[in-house]
């Protein structure tokens, strides 16, 4: 590890500023998915148990005009208390007098959440003054927000240069899992990349073909590849103007020994809706008015064989229109195969980014993967091979 962790930094009786990602889904003032909070709890408990004051910083939503109730972190306090099993205090501001007073009132081993860092314009600008104001609140900075590490903001990047800094347990686990999956993986490495469009995943695909041995494509983006190979795709979602880019990716793959696996059959429907009438057909047999809404059983079998031959799997994005039954079938079936191989100890499986976790949870197998990242955009940027500023800032302190 090129950064400090809670094993190497002494937090005993200190005031520890923990950058968390409490940007969780909330509806009617209630947190609807506590995954990020649950995964943060071990770090909070470990630091609190050493008699430190635990001061949590986070953003929430994308407020642009200062404080508003809709984006207040007060809404998540109850969910954090529940997950932690201990009271959690709240400060109305993340810097200045109100933060200072709340920290002074916090007992050793107590946990406090500071109000949304994005209520200050300096957060997203990585303003050195805001970073200084945040750093002045504590003795040590612990970043446990891998899912925000693609942002070079005052609370994710700037502050790490001003205090002794370490990765929290969640950040550490994310980096270890991701390292095993791509930096130093057991080969062959397979990647499943699904989702609607290649235009949003161009950098990702170009990086993956140079890193993995087998690139399995699903979802709408697979249609663009089929189209680029001269297969007619009917009414299927397809970015015809991206055909050149798709061909460039296939050429790069051929040059670097990466095998690209495309669907060989699909569920063809005439309407984009749940339970739409459909038929199973080869991809070369799609009719004019039809669209492929999911990969078919022959594709699932083919992908299953590829996964059986792999040692490592990185998964991002669904295979088909997984939110519409039965067009979730291929995603469910392939995810189950991956979970099964993982359970047998034959595959290290890592998933993350965007819709992926929702798709795996829908398939009922998220628990069956070796590691499921809490990150959306940060996971994608990591797959693109980009340096994550929040991680890079920690490494400078090691
Ligand atoms: C996320 O939910 O992906 C992170 O919290 C980052 O949020 P952002 O995309 O608003 O920076
Ligand atoms: Mg995001």
């Amino acid at each position: 590890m090129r950064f400090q962790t809670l094993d190497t930094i002494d937090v005993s009786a200190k005031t520890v500023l923990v950058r968390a990602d409490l940007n969780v889904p909330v509806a009617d003032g209630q947190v609807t998915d506590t995954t990020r909070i649950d995964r943060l709890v071990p770090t909070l408990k470990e630091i609190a148990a050493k008699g430190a004051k635990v001061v949590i910083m986070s953003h929430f939503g994308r407020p642009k005009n200062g404080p508003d109730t809709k984006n207040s972190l007060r809404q998540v306090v109850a969910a954090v208390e529940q997950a932690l099993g201990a009271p959690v205090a709240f400060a109305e501001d993340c810097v200045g007098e109100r933060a200072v007073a709340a920290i002074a009132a916090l007992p050793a081993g107590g946990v406090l959440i500071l109000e949304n860092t994005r209520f200050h314009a300096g957060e997203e600008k990585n303003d050195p003054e805001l970073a200084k104001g945040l750093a002045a609140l504590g003795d040590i900075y612990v970043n446990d927000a891998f899912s925000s590490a693609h942002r070079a903001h005052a609370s994710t990047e700037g502050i790490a240069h001003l205090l002794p800094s370490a990765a929290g347990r969640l950040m550490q686990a994310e980096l270890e899992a991701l390292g095993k999956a791509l930096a130093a993986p057991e080969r062959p490495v397979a990647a499943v990349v699904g989702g609607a469009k290649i235009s949003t995943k161009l950098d990702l695909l170009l990086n993956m073909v140079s890193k993995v041995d087998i690139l399995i494509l699903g979802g709408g983006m697979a249609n663009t590849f089929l189209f680029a190979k001269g297969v007619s795709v009917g009414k299927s979602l397809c970015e015809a103007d991206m055909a050149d880019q798709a061909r460039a990716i296939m050429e790069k793959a051929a040059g670097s020994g990466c095998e690209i696996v495309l669907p060989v059959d699909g569920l063809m429907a005439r309407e984009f809706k749940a339970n739409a009438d459909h038929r199973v057909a080869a991809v070369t047999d799609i009719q004019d008015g039809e669209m492929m809404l999911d990969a078919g059983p022959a594709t699932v079998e083919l992908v299953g064989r590829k996964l059986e031959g792999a040692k490592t799997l990185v998964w991002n994005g669904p295979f088909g229109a997984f939110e519409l039954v039965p067009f979730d079938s291929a995603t469910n079936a392939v995810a189950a195969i991956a979970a099964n191989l993982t359970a047998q100890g034959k595959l290290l499986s890592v998933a993350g980014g965007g819709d992926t976790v929702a798709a795996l949870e829908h398939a009922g197998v998220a628990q069956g993967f070796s590691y499921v990242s809490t990150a959306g955009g940060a996971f994608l940027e990591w797959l693109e091979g980009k340096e994550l500023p929040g991680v890079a800032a920690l490494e400078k302190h090691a």
Side-chain angles (χ1 to χ4, degrees), residues 15-19 55-59 93-97 99-100 103 113-124 126-142 153-160 162-163:
T15 296
V16 181
L17 304 174
V18 178
R19 180 45 161 103
V55 180
I56 302 175
M57 304 180 291
S58 178
H59 74 285
D93 198 353
C94 67
V95 278
E97 277 169 34
V100 169
I103 294 168
I113 297 176
L114 300 176
E115 183 57 288
N116 195 344
T117 50
R118 286 189 185 168
F119 285 168
H120 292 265
E123 165 72 332
E124 294 187 58
N126 200 0
D127 175 9
E129 285 309 310
L130 180 60
K132 235 189 264 173
L134 294 169
L137 299 174
D139 309 306
I140 289 175
Y141 173 68
V142 170
H153 294 173
S155 70
T156 60
E157 204 278 343
I159 187 175
L162 305 175
L163 287 176

Side-chain angles (χ1 to χ4, degrees), residues 143-154:
N143 189 345
D144 217 22
F146 174 75
S147 50
S148 300
H150 55 320
R151 308 293 182 208
H153 294 173

Side-chain angles (χ1 to χ4, degrees), residues 36-392:
R36 283 183 175 172
I37 294 172
D38 298 337
R39 304 272 292 272
L40 168 72
V41 161
T43 297
L44 302 181
K45 283 192 171 155
E46 185 172 343
I47 297 172
K50 291 188 177 148
K53 295 187 181 192
V54 185
V55 180
I56 302 175
M57 304 180 291
S58 178
H59 74 285
F60 183 90
R62 292 176 174 171
K64 293 291 170 210
N65 301 304
D68 61 43
T69 44
K70 192 177 124 258
N71 289 299
S72 173
L73 273 171
R74 194 183 272 288
Q75 304 171 90
V76 311
V77 171
V80 176
E81 282 185 329
Q82 173 102 40
L84 191 65
V88 171
F90 182 73
E92 306 276 351
D93 198 353
C94 67
V95 278
E97 277 169 34
R98 286 184 288 186
V100 169
I103 294 168
L106 193 68
V111 177
L112 164 74
I113 297 176
L114 300 176
E115 183 57 288
N116 195 344
T117 50
R118 286 189 185 168
F119 285 168
H120 292 265
E123 165 72 332
E124 294 187 58
K125 293 185 188 131
N126 200 0
D127 175 9
E129 285 309 310
L130 180 60
K132 235 189 264 173
L134 294 169
L137 299 174
D139 309 306
I140 289 175
Y141 173 68
V142 170
N143 189 345
D144 217 22
F146 174 75
S147 50
S148 300
H150 55 320
R151 308 293 182 208
H153 294 173
S155 70
T156 60
E157 204 278 343
I159 187 175
H161 300 285
L162 305 175
L163 287 176
S165 301
R169 294 303 185 196
L170 175 56
M171 172 71 91
Q172 186 185 350
E174 296 267 8
L175 293 174
E176 283 170 2
L178 273 44
K180 275 188 213 154
L182 271 198
E186 270 202 71
R187 293 188 180 274
V189 185
V192 166
V193 179
K197 294 181 170 179
I198 76 166
S199 51
T200 55
K201 289 192 181 169
L202 264 186
D203 290 345
L204 187 157
L205 292 165
L206 284 166
N207 186 47
M208 295 309 273
V209 295
S210 68
K211 293 259 166 70
V212 307
D213 305 295
I214 308 163
L215 177 59
I216 300 160
L217 297 171
M221 70 169 70
N223 301 326
T224 303
F225 281 86
L226 290 168
F227 174 80
K229 292 179 81 164
V231 176
S232 101
V233 296
K235 254 180 37 177
S236 300
L237 183 66
C238 174
E239 294 173 283
D241 56 341
M242 298 299 288
D244 283 344
Q245 279 86 342
R247 277 187 286 269
I249 291 164
M250 291 190 277
E251 266 164 42
K252 190 176 176 197
S256 58
C258 169
E259 178 189 0
I260 291 192
V261 177
L262 289 168
V264 292
D265 66 344
L267 304 190
M268 314 303 185
R270 288 175 185 273
E271 285 175 291
F272 186 83
K273 63 170 200 196
N275 299 309
D277 275 344
H278 62 277
R279 67 186 185 105
V280 174
V283 292
T284 47
D285 186 31
I286 192 162
Q287 306 295 304
D288 274 350
E290 287 181 330
M291 53 193 145
M292 179 156 80
L293 292 188
D294 197 11
T299 304
V300 169
E301 213 189 297
L302 170 67
V303 170
R305 280 202 303 278
K306 298 294 175 191
L307 295 186
E308 270 166 32
K311 290 254 167 56
T312 303
L313 169 67
V314 182
W315 184 315
N316 171 256
F319 262 94
F322 81 98
E323 63 283 6
L324 306 178
V325 176
F327 307 109
D328 56 347
S329 304
T331 303
N332 293 348
V334 176
I337 293 170
N340 193 21
L341 291 168
T342 304
Q344 293 174 48
K346 293 180 179 161
L347 189 70
L348 176 106
S349 51
V350 174
D355 274 349
T356 313
V357 178
L360 295 184
E361 262 159 20
H362 173 85
V365 300
Q367 306 299 323
F369 273 57
S370 312
Y371 194 79
V372 177
S373 177
T374 57
F379 189 88
L380 295 176
E381 290 201 20
W382 173 78
L383 289 184
E384 289 167 7
K386 290 196 180 135
E387 177 179 86
L388 304 180
V391 175

